[in-house]
Amino acid sequence: MSTLFISDLHLDDSRPQITTLFEHYLSGDEVRKADALYILGDLVEAWVGDDDDAQLPQRIANATRAVCDAGVPVYFIAGNRDFLMGQAFAERAGFTLLEDGTVHDLYGTPTLLMHGDVLCTDDLAYQAFRRQVRTPEWKAQVLAMPLDARRALAAKARAESRAQNSIKHEDIMDVNAKAVAQAMRHAGVTHLIHGHTHRPAIHHFDLDGHTAERIVLGDWYEQGSVLRVTAKNRQLRAVRE
Ligand code: LP5
Ligand code: MN
């Protein structure tokens, strides 16, 4: 009995070995015997729409659908790289889309699940960008553009983001402790799992007199990273071939 969490795979044609690792991991025993698999955002490097006819989205859909067909539910929370993913792809891929900030019960422990970007409140430029691109109007306008134009826009946004990240202080790109406490308080939980920052760790801290736990998932740039939760413990570890 275990529940698995992954995020920040950033699947992309430039890292074919990671796509293969993802496929192998999803077809292996650990996943096939799990109670559920959660993907907490940034599954791909850049999602330009559910109508993308490239090979990668199809491979992803095949991999996750096989997990769900094997009886293991797959849940997905969008990240800042795949916020344009919608219900059409979720249906093809057999997974359930969850709102960022959903609380699920894990073996008796209510746990807040997020991608993590909303917690980075010191990153004012990013939060302004996020507010702009997450409105239904902005998304509809972009999704109405031809695929090629969306791919070009995503490439521009990636280049701009990379340039800005290189001059931002590391601390600005981490979560803000007050935002973490506020989100947990608001959700009424002492446990939080998120990705985004690529700083895998299990943090313990005091939240209004209770011991709270925040687990940060790792990225899949060079190897995989998975959190395995059971009724007894939580194990954050690497995934390799
Ligand atoms: O993603 P990462 O790790 O580099 O940095 C994130 C934040 N950046 C982003 C931007 C994404 O990388 C862009 C890719 C989206 C692909 C799918 C969308 C396709 C449609 C096109 C969308 C425009 O999320 C970064 C944070 C960092 O995490 C740490 O938290 O700091 O935030 C920024 O870089 C935001 C910038 O500071 C401000 C905005 C830059 C983007 C400008 C877009 C311009 C688009 C082209 C216009 C002609
Ligand atoms: Mn992210």
Side-chain angles (χ1 to χ4, degrees):
M1 301 290 275
S2 65
T3 299
L4 306 168
F5 293 85
I6 56 176
S7 73
D8 303 281
L9 294 93
H10 294 270
L11 299 180
D12 187 62
D13 289 338
S14 65
R15 286 182 294 275
Q17 71 285 5
I18 298 297
T19 303
T20 307
L21 180 64
F22 168 69
E23 289 172 331
H24 285 179
Y25 181 62
L26 264 61
S27 61
D29 262 10
E30 180 164 83
V31 169
R32 296 304 171 92
K33 290 185 176 156
D35 293 323
L37 171 68
Y38 288 81
I39 304 171
L40 300 188
D42 288 2
L43 174 56
V44 295
E45 186 72 355
W47 190 263
V48 293
D50 292 3
D51 57 337
D52 189 350
D53 55 7
Q55 202 194 24
L56 183 62
Q58 196 49 51
R59 283 176 68 179
I60 294 171
N62 292 344
T64 53
R65 174 155 287 284
V67 174
C68 119
D69 286 347
V72 180
V74 182
Y75 298 102
F76 180 83
I77 287 180
N80 56 300
R81 304 295 191 92
D82 38 26
F83 64 93
L84 287 177
M85 196 180 282
Q87 192 54 34
F89 185 75
E91 275 164 32
R92 257 168 71 202
F95 54 59
T96 303
L97 293 177
L98 299 177
E99 288 290 323
D100 197 80
T102 295
V103 175
H104 271 200
D105 182 282
L106 294 177
Y107 308 104
T109 303
T111 305
L112 178 61
L113 309 174
M114 308 177 86
H115 175 57
D117 55 333
V118 293
L119 301 171
C120 301
T121 52
D122 295 329
D123 195 341
L124 300 178
Y126 172 66
Q127 296 302 337
F129 170 73
R130 189 180 193 279
R131 275 194 296 279
Q132 184 194 338
V133 301
R134 297 297 183 102
T135 63
E137 296 75 27
W138 192 93
K139 290 205 267 187
Q141 201 181 330
V142 166
L143 288 173
M145 290 164 58
L147 252 181
D148 279 354
R150 276 178 270 155
R151 288 195 181 114
L153 186 62
K156 254 191 186 167
R158 287 292 311 117
E160 180 62 23
S161 182
R162 235 180 259 124
Q164 296 220 12
N165 288 4
S166 70
I167 50 172
K168 276 182 199 169
H169 195 280
E170 280 291 305
D171 290 351
I172 285 181
M173 293 191 285
D174 201 353
V175 299
N176 172 293
K178 283 194 183 130
V180 167
Q182 203 177 350
M184 294 177 80
R185 217 174 269 136
H186 182 254
V189 298
T190 52
H191 287 68
L192 163 66
I193 302 174
H194 72 83
H196 182 66
T197 60
H198 304 188
R199 302 175 200 216
I202 301 184
H203 300 276
H204 291 105
F205 56 99
D206 179 84
L207 178 69
D208 306 329
H210 300 279
T211 300
E213 183 183 80
R214 175 173 71 95
I215 304 186
V216 189
L217 307 173
D219 66 72
W220 282 53
Y221 277 125
E222 266 147 35
Q223 57 182 20
S225 174
V226 64
L227 169 70
R228 186 168 179 272
V229 176
T230 67
K232 286 203 181 114
N233 62 13
R234 292 164 286 283
Q235 185 193 15
L236 188 57
R237 60 169 179 78
V239 177
R240 298 190 186 88
E241 277 301 353

